[in-house]
Amino acid sequence: MSESPAPAVLTLRPEWTALEDHRADALPRPSLRRLFAEDPGRAERYTARVGDLYVDYSKHLVTDETLALLRELAVATGVFELRDAMFRGERINTTEDRAVLHTALRAPRGAVVEVDGENVVPGVHAVLDRMAAFAQRVRSGEWTGHTGRRVRNVVNIGIGGSDLGPAMAYEALRAYGDRSLVFRFVSNVDGADLYEATRDLDPAETLFIVASKTFTTVETLTNAASARDWLVDALGDEAAVARHFVAVSTNAEKVAAFGIDTANMFEFWDWVGGRYSFDSAIGLSLMAAIGPDRFREMLDGFHLVDEHFRTAPAESNVPLLMGLLGVWYGDFLGAQSHAVLPYSHYLSRFPAYLQQLDMESNGKSVDRDGQEVGWQTGPVVWGTPGTNGQHAYYQLIHQGTKLIPADFIGFARPVRGLGGRLGAQHDLLMANFFAQTQALAFGKTPDEVREEGVPEELVPHKSFRGDHPTTTILAPELTPSVLGQLVALYEHKVFVQGAVWNIDSFDQWGVELGKILARRVEPALSKGAHVPGLDPSTAALVAAYRDIGK
Ligand code: F6P
């Protein structure tokens, strides 16, 4: 990789200690009421635009000085050099010795992005074209099942990045989907997931998309094998598999071994991380739902934000800003979690999607050199659609003891097709959206509560401290392009944080141990086999499981 600043322990860097000193000056917390009073232009100045996204960060516990110091930290930690190395296709995923090129998945035809001297963009578009042809055949009814009936049901079988992305995006873009087709997503190895997804489907009209980067993931292969049994039992012919199963993978050999014709395999590449993959062939189910044109609009949305991240100056670079704000809260103000609160029912799976994106990427405790980090890395990411959260956990955000920075995502118009009385509910939804960030930021002082005639003993209970930081992201409408823009925004935010923390955001070794142990324990559960080396607690639990289940 090309010249990056000399490595140094992050917390010893002068840019880090400058932020610590700055924090000490500002403690206990800068008051948002005071910050707005001192700077009448704050509301306008602390906004940024990227594509269709209007981003307001005025309700953050920061000043111009905080932001300048954070940008200096980004420069010192080599964020920009690492960003450029990523876009150039260098092997910045060092522990897996891989390039990190999800940005190439949405590069326009004709762009040049090289990995080991080979331009990968033509290959990306060749797969997109094959996906489009296939998706059209499914959508038009031309792709028929073994008995000659058209496909009406599409079931995606995958897990992690091979499920969360397409499932989230399918939900988000339901209004753009072909409503005459049924789409289901199966991920859990709990047989109930596949059972519930298929129990009311006609096998003769059902297509399974087995999505797995490695094609070795036990959950996916187990579900795919069960789905194959379900199909073959119903249609009475092994040959039916060819018309009812397609695969999305990097591993043609394993796809063939499973029995899926590799002519019906859609490939992607090892430089696409699982959690960064739904804009690759992993999005095949989504493309079948919304059609190739809409899928390409989504890719254009991704690309727009990629270009912004790659070229915008630091002062107006939105993913940089969002990443640095997270560093400020996690490393300097002690926040442990980050809430993502979409005010759109269609984005109900967005927080779950972001959990993998962020927590699998930045849930690390050793740096790129294998040294234990002495600073906070990725936060716990959580959330649900906003109005439902208001009647559940917002109480804790407003009046609890924890600092929880939150992103509020809302839209100026309801999603297309939602008209009449239901569409008119949108203003009420958004009134809640604005009211919540206002209450979180400015609270309600004891004096304001007293002015309402509240008895003194209730004043502490009815007072709100405020100063709860939020980012407000507003877009005109939830379209395919806007969804792409949002996802790319978070991808690059996560990137910025990993770069500052000097961790490899693109590996996921932490999920391996559990997988290996599950394989060892399984024979003890199914056959009562002795598992050597099982710890006493787990051995006792395994015995109880067998006993209770008799
Ligand atoms: O959970 C670990 C993981 O490797 C994820 O990173 C990945 O998205 C998921 O498993 C599924 O992997 P695959 O697509 O190879 O089946």
Side-chain angles (χ1 to χ4, degrees), residues 159-162 212-215 217 274-275 356 360 508 511 515:
I159 197 165
S162 300
S212 174
K213 177 176 171 178
T214 55
F215 231 78
T217 305
R275 53 195 173 272
Q356 189 201 14
E360 202 167 77
Q508 57 284 317
V511 291
K515 286 187 195 170

Side-chain angles (χ1 to χ4, degrees), residues 199-524:
R199 57 178 290 281
D200 56 347
L201 302 186
D202 181 342
E205 297 181 346
T206 301
L207 174 76
F208 291 96
I209 298 178
V210 186
S212 174
K213 177 176 171 178
T214 55
F215 231 78
T216 58
T217 305
V218 172
E219 291 89 336
T220 299
L221 294 190
T222 305
N223 276 327
S226 299
R228 186 175 53 192
D229 288 351
W230 176 82
L231 181 93
V232 172
D233 283 353
L235 301 186
D237 190 351
E238 273 288 335
V241 172
R243 300 295 305 170
H244 292 265
F245 277 79
V246 300
V248 179
S249 187
T250 58
N251 193 338
E253 213 176 298
K254 297 268 186 213
V255 168
F258 180 85
I260 296 177
D261 185 348
T262 49
N264 294 329
M265 169 181 144
F266 298 84
E267 69 167 328
F268 63 115
W269 306 271
D270 74 356
W271 40 262
V272 182
R275 53 195 173 272
Y276 297 86
S277 68
F278 90 79
D279 46 343
S280 72
I282 289 291
L284 185 62
S285 51
L286 174 67
M287 191 192 267
I290 65 172
D293 292 345
R294 297 299 191 186
F295 195 87
R296 285 182 202 278
E297 283 171 28
M298 183 185 78
L299 296 182
D300 291 345
F302 272 100
H303 181 64
L304 194 153
V305 174
D306 292 345
E307 284 303 284
H308 166 87
F309 179 51
R310 193 175 68 78
T311 61
E315 289 72 20
S316 56
N317 196 307
V318 182
L320 178 78
L321 175 76
M322 286 175 65
L324 292 176
L325 286 169
V327 171
W328 173 239
Y329 292 118
D331 289 280
F332 298 94
L333 295 186
Q336 293 284 328
S337 80
H338 184 98
V340 179
L341 307 167
Y343 277 65
S344 163
H345 194 69
Y346 290 103
L347 284 181
S348 59
R349 299 295 311 276
F350 195 57
Y353 168 76
L354 289 185
Q355 281 180 330
Q356 189 201 14
L357 177 67
D358 200 323
M359 294 167 78
E360 202 167 77
S361 295
N362 286 342
K364 311 286 163 64
S365 55
V366 294
D367 68 13
R368 291 178 161 273
D369 305 312
Q371 302 296 319
E372 194 79 29
V373 296
W375 47 91
Q376 287 295 310
T377 59
V380 176
V381 176
W382 59 282
T384 55
T387 34
N388 293 3
Q390 283 173 215
H391 295 273
Y393 51 77
Y394 273 40
Q395 166 64 33
L396 185 146
I397 308 181
H398 280 289
Q399 288 190 312
T401 52
K402 313 234 171 342
L403 172 65
I404 303 175
D407 296 345
F408 279 67
I409 303 171
F411 300 91
R413 294 190 294 268
V415 99
R416 75 172 201 166
L418 200 63
R421 196 188 147 87
L422 293 180
Q425 291 180 201
H426 191 72
D427 283 343
L428 180 56
L429 170 72
M430 292 304 286
N432 278 278
F433 176 86
F434 293 116
Q436 287 298 326
T437 59
Q438 184 188 7
L440 286 166
F442 304 112
K444 196 170 184 182
T445 65
D447 282 345
E448 287 170 340
V449 177
R450 283 186 195 103
E451 271 168 33
E452 291 176 352
V454 170
E456 196 54 33
E457 68 273 17
L458 286 182
V459 168
H461 299 279
K462 295 197 162 193
S463 301
F464 291 71
R465 193 187 62 225
D467 294 336
H468 298 289
T470 56
T471 301
T472 298
I473 302 175
L474 262 181
E477 197 177 322
L478 181 55
T479 61
S481 170
V482 164
L483 182 69
Q485 294 173 41
L486 277 172
V487 173
L489 182 64
Y490 280 94
E491 286 178 347
H492 298 318
K493 172 202 163 175
V494 167
F495 176 92
V496 167
Q497 296 186 333
V500 169
W501 293 322
N502 191 29
I503 55 179
D504 188 334
S505 298
F506 302 100
D507 62 16
Q508 57 284 317
W509 300 107
V511 291
E512 292 306 318
L513 178 62
K515 286 187 195 170
I516 294 164
L517 294 183
R519 249 176 262 139
R520 274 179 49 199
V521 172
E522 201 274 332

